Amino acid sequence: MKQVARRRMGRGMALTAAVGAAFAMATAGTAQAATPGVLTLCSKGSYGSYAVFPDRGGMATVVVPSGKCTDVEFGGNKPERVDIRQSGGAVIGSTIYDGRAGLNIATVDGPSFYPF
């Protein structure tokens, strides 16, 4: 009886691992690599958003409408702070942009944002 239970548990664990691996491979392809020198901002929430570079005198992107994305070439060769804001000006949060690597940001309802 114990051997039957162990076999079933082993099969279940193997199936779970296989499904998990397939899911990981399927979702890994959906990520988009950042382009050096470019900030990509996508407003995936129910509001427009934009990015501000305080260390560049407040240089900012255009407001990206809800459901849209934009690419902005900012260049740069060092890490620097970038503030992510709602279209009305409220700060959602800050992150680091490094022009050597680029950055992809998506804003979502909450409000919040995440790199992708």
Side-chain angles (χ1 to χ4, degrees), residues 39-52 60-70 83-90 92 105-108 111-113:
L39 172 74
T40 297
L41 179 61
C42 296
S43 294
K44 295 186 177 187
S46 59
Y47 56 90
S49 58
Y50 65 103
V52 178
T61 67
V62 298
V63 173
V64 180
S66 177
K68 303 288 183 184
C69 293
T70 192
D83 297 332
I84 310 301
R85 298 176 177 242
Q86 291 179 329
S87 58
I92 300 170
I105 292 290
T107 58
V108 293
S112 187
F113 70 92

Side-chain angles (χ1 to χ4, degrees), residues 9 11-12 15 21-22 30 32 47 51-52 55 58 74 76 84 106-108:
M9 190 157 76
R11 287 182 195 147
L15 179 61
T30 61
Q32 175 184 335
Y47 56 90
V52 178
D55 295 337
F74 277 107
I84 310 301
T107 58
V108 293

Side-chain angles (χ1 to χ4, degrees), residues 2-19:
K2 288 181 181 180
Q3 287 179 336
V4 171
R6 284 185 186 152
R7 275 190 228 138
R8 285 183 184 161
M9 190 157 76
R11 287 182 195 147
M13 292 172 79
L15 179 61
T16 301
V19 169

